[in-house]
Amino acid sequence: MSTFLHGGLGLGSDGESVRFNVHVDGRVWTCRIRRAALNRLSGIDAGGEALFDQFVDFEDEIVDLAAKAIAQGANVEPIEVGTQ
């Protein structure tokens, strides 16, 4: 499976999530990881702009989680990452 971050990184309108695009096997998917999932992954309670730092620190893991969710049949965008 060919997977990589495809840009589109941005803070959700609620300030409680990060949206991003992932390229998986020739298709670009819009994904979102919420604050709670990022905080679980990092072990640090952060919000707002600090979520970007968490995302960058754990980018590879987050992209892998997105690819796994898609492989498991998630097909409604944005793909919710970290809830599986």
Side-chain angles (χ1 to χ4, degrees):
M1 180 183 312
S2 171
T3 305
F4 57 89
L5 186 65
H6 192 77
L9 187 63
L11 189 62
S13 60
D14 59 0
E16 295 290 310
S17 62
V18 175
R19 61 175 160 56
F20 57 99
N21 296 326
V22 171
H23 184 276
V24 179
D25 290 340
R27 179 170 173 190
V28 177
W29 297 84
T30 300
C31 303
R32 174 174 56 195
I33 186 164
R34 294 190 181 271
R35 177 182 179 179
L38 271 169
N39 287 339
R40 275 194 308 275
L41 190 61
S42 70
I44 300 168
D45 185 24
E49 295 290 326
L51 293 176
F52 284 118
D53 294 333
Q54 286 181 324
F55 186 94
V56 170
D57 290 345
F58 291 92
E59 178 182 319
D60 292 338
E61 292 91 336
I62 293 166
V63 170
D64 287 345
L65 288 171
K68 287 178 187 173
I70 293 163
Q72 292 172 353
N75 60 6
V76 176
E77 296 181 85
I79 304 296
E80 290 288 340
V81 176
T83 60
Q84 295 76 22

